[in-house]
Amino acid sequence: DLITYWYDDHKTHKRVTVTEHVFDLFAKIIRHIPNKHFKTISYYGLYTAKNHRYSSYYEKLHKLEKIRALMHLMKKTYRVSPIRGKEDE
């Protein structure tokens, strides 16, 4: 069976359309799967070195979300706002 796909060639800045056998495409894809027990290091997104300065921000945000959830649970359970101290009706 044949499969047709396209990709953007960054050297020529043109879209290239390729038609080839499915097994040939699989062979190209499988090449990128690391061997068993091969250690890969990937630092993308929040784990990049430039984003380490934001780690304390995300920790604070996570703590804030926990506090909000606890306040909501207290309000729901005791029908009292933990901030206002008044009963909700």
Side-chain angles (χ1 to χ4, degrees), residues 10-77:
H10 297 288
K11 292 179 183 177
T12 62
H13 301 291
K14 292 183 180 178
R15 181 167 286 180
V16 179
T17 303
V18 179
T19 301
E20 62 186 5
H21 197 270
V22 173
F23 292 141
D24 294 332
L25 177 63
F26 285 162
K28 291 178 182 178
I29 294 172
I30 290 173
R31 245 183 263 160
H32 298 285
I33 300 174
N35 294 331
K36 189 174 183 179
H37 304 296
F38 182 79
K39 302 295 180 196
T40 58
I41 301 172
S42 48
Y43 295 103
Y44 297 105
L46 294 175
Y47 300 109
T48 59
K50 68 178 183 178
N51 283 328
H52 283 274
R53 65 178 180 248
Y54 297 120
S55 62
S56 63
Y57 168 76
Y58 290 110
E59 289 172 7
K60 290 176 186 175
L61 186 63
H62 182 66
K63 287 179 184 177
L64 181 63
E65 289 299 321
K66 282 184 169 181
I67 291 169
R68 284 185 181 162
L70 180 62
M71 288 173 48
H72 177 71
L73 184 62
M74 288 175 65
K75 188 174 180 180
K76 184 178 173 184
T77 304

